[in-house]
Amino acid sequence: MNKIKNFLHGISEKMKDGKRKLSGHSRNWYFLAGLILVVLVAGLAVILNVENGYRVLESFEKSDTSGTQYLTFGSRMLKYSADGVSCVDGKGQTIWNCTFSMQSPIADICENSAVVADQQGTSVYIFDENGQKGQFETLLPIEKVKVARQGVVAAVLTEEEVTWINFYDTTGGEIAKMRTTVKESGYPMDIALSPDGMKIMVSFLWPDQDGLKTRVAFYNFDSIGQTEENNQVNLLTYDGVVAPSVYFVDEQRAVILRNNGFSVCRGTEIPEEKVSVDFEDEILTCFHEEGKIGFIFKSDKADYKYQLKVYNLNGRCTMTKYLNMDYRNAKMMEGNILLINANGFQVYSSRGRKRVAITYQKAVADVTGDPGLGHYMVLRPGHPDLIRV
């Protein structure tokens, strides 16, 4: 870096000497030297940024309100807040937007369909890649929502001691509804909707005299479920276990994330447990993408703080990595693992190789983007930056 500064200083001194004896020839040299100086200064600015591991391609000042969140939406991103929702491309340009007023917006995405709803409110908005596809109001407060690829929505609604799990089309028409109570079924911890919209999975936390249990119920709205009470085709029970999260990978595979491990269920019509993996160590963080599930534990090695493990849906551990980075959030994107804290982020490949390590110039709230292109949207409070690494 000092060599560059000395070189620039030398050019500047030569330009000063040239001013004292200007001729037609020296004027041309003066102009050329000035042009070189401008190019080198611009190049120096790029070098300074690249040495920090990234380049800021664009900064969107004051474009976000407090509480704005981003979700990957196909090749784009869905940006939503209490004031509305918009779809932005990889350069941060708005493709479409929709304004509304919500107290606590929640969202879900399935392929090219998205739903945004007001938690503890009654508003539901459905979108596809071209914009708003539907909107309706529920009769009871919303607890959770999920969307399928064609835009149908499953919602958990609360009514004192009764919980309703309702199934809606894009206009708000009820396709089906199920009534549950804590006494009969338990408290619904999480809900999942299959991509084709034909199956619902619900994790119920059920207290009884012997302690807590988790019941995971599967409901089928195709012909096979029509003959069953409440369309329920299977029920799995886990004693002394909490299952705070469930999700469908596709129409044939579903995952139950437990506080002591995970289970994989398979079946086109009646999902049944095929894989069960239990851990002795406490799970600190869990995240997933398609056919991979990541877990972070406390390290069993004195030189490291954390141990990261990634499993496939056959229950096999495909990667183990020891870490020292104190993270606030962990996620998977395009097969890569992102660890994020207020000071920056790190990216690891599916084999555990560190691909990116960024110490950011300002406080970081979250990171999203396209690791394949090396583009990331660094979310700062009210000020997202599009960067390239």
Side-chain angles (χ1 to χ4, degrees):
M1 191 62 65
N2 288 332
K3 289 182 179 180
I4 295 174
K5 292 180 179 178
N6 291 336
F7 179 63
L8 294 175
H9 178 71
I11 292 178
S12 178
E13 291 300 316
K14 288 182 180 181
M15 291 174 63
K16 290 178 182 178
D17 291 340
K19 287 182 179 179
R20 289 191 285 269
K21 44 184 178 181
L22 281 175
S23 64
H25 177 75
S26 61
R27 283 194 187 96
N28 291 337
W29 186 92
Y30 180 63
F31 174 79
L32 180 61
L35 182 61
I36 293 173
L37 179 62
V38 171
V39 172
L40 287 175
V41 169
L44 177 62
V46 171
I47 290 171
L48 286 172
N49 226 355
V50 170
E51 285 183 349
N52 287 329
Y54 64 91
R55 288 180 60 190
V56 177
L57 300 179
E58 193 165 0
S59 183
F60 306 94
E61 296 297 328
K62 299 181 180 179
S63 62
D64 290 349
T65 59
S66 176
T68 298
Q69 298 186 64
Y70 286 75
L71 290 174
T72 301
F73 189 34
S75 61
R76 300 168 179 171
M77 287 178 287
L78 193 77
K79 181 173 74 171
Y80 67 98
S81 68
D83 298 325
V85 59
S86 60
C87 178
V88 297
D89 62 19
K91 296 182 178 180
Q93 302 300 313
T94 299
I95 306 301
W96 52 259
N97 64 73
C98 172
T99 59
F100 49 61
S101 179
M102 293 186 183
Q103 294 296 317
S104 181
I106 54 176
D108 182 55
I109 289 176
C110 179
E111 298 179 12
N112 291 320
S113 290
V115 61
V116 180
D118 194 5
Q119 191 172 43
Q120 301 305 321
T122 58
S123 298
V124 178
Y125 287 77
I126 304 166
F127 305 92
D128 62 18
E129 56 188 357
N130 297 314
Q132 185 174 330
K133 189 175 181 179
Q135 189 272 328
F136 60 90
E137 300 287 326
T138 60
L139 298 177
L140 296 169
I142 299 164
E143 186 67 31
K144 295 178 183 292
V145 288
K146 298 292 178 180
V147 68
R149 68 165 65 99
Q150 70 272 49
V152 296
V153 170
V156 177
L157 311 177
T158 56
E159 182 186 26
E160 296 180 352
E161 298 298 320
V162 177
T163 298
W164 292 90
I165 302 171
N166 288 12
F167 201 26
Y168 300 95
D169 62 25
T170 56
T171 65
E174 285 188 359
I175 300 173
K177 61 181 180 180
M178 296 167 285
R179 179 185 182 276
T180 68
T181 66
V182 174
K183 184 177 180 180
E184 296 169 349
S185 304
Y187 177 79
M189 294 285 289
D190 197 19
I191 181 174
L193 180 62
S194 62
D196 61 359
M198 299 308 298
K199 292 186 289 292
I200 290 178
M201 171 172 51
V202 185
S203 172
F204 292 99
L205 184 63
W206 191 57
D208 67 4
Q209 59 184 7
D210 298 324
L212 292 176
K213 293 182 179 180
T214 289
R215 289 176 166 178
V216 179
F218 290 90
Y219 304 90
N220 188 309
F221 296 96
D222 208 343
S223 57
I224 191 170
Q226 301 301 320
T227 59
E228 304 294 334
E229 183 179 356
N230 256 357
N231 294 83
Q232 183 176 310
V233 294
N234 198 8
L235 180 67
L236 305 176
T237 301
Y238 301 93
D239 293 332
V241 171
V242 178
S245 181
V246 294
Y247 66 96
F248 280 94
V249 178
D250 50 35
E251 282 78 4
Q252 291 82 33
R253 298 175 296 176
V255 176
I256 302 166
L257 297 175
R258 302 180 266 106
N259 67 325
N260 66 340
F262 68 97
S263 298
V264 180
C265 300
R266 293 190 176 96
T268 303
E269 296 179 331
I270 303 177
E272 297 179 346
E273 185 180 78
K274 299 297 184 181
V275 174
S276 180
V277 176
D278 296 333
F279 302 130
E280 294 183 0
D281 297 328
E282 178 187 2
I283 301 171
L284 301 179
T285 305
C286 179
F287 49 94
H288 58 86
E289 181 186 60
E290 296 181 352
K292 296 181 179 180
I293 313 170
F295 298 91
I296 298 179
F297 311 89
K298 288 183 179 180
S299 175
D300 57 358
K301 294 185 178 181
D303 294 337
Y304 296 93
K305 294 182 179 180
Y306 307 107
Q307 183 185 38
L308 165 66
K309 289 188 174 184
V310 177
Y311 287 79
N312 63 21
L313 297 185
N314 292 323
R316 184 172 66 87
C317 181
T318 61
M319 188 262 276
T320 299
K321 184 74 176 179
Y322 287 90
L323 308 165
N324 274 320
M325 177 185 177
D326 286 321
Y327 66 94
R328 183 171 58 190
N329 188 18
K331 63 174 71 176
M332 285 187 180
M333 291 195 329
E334 300 294 330
N336 295 275
I337 299 162
L338 273 71
L339 300 176
I340 305 161
N341 63 24
N343 300 317
F345 65 99
Q346 294 181 0
V347 181
Y348 292 85
S349 71
S350 59
R351 296 184 178 181
R353 182 175 63 88
K354 185 187 290 186
R355 297 185 58 188
V356 176
I358 298 296
T359 300
Y360 208 64
Q361 56 189 349
K362 297 178 182 178
V364 175
D366 199 2
V367 177
T368 187
D370 189 346
L373 297 176
H375 288 182
Y376 297 88
M377 187 73 77
V378 179
L379 308 179
R380 301 182 288 124
H383 306 274
D385 293 336
L386 179 66
I387 71 169
R388 185 174 65 194
V389 300

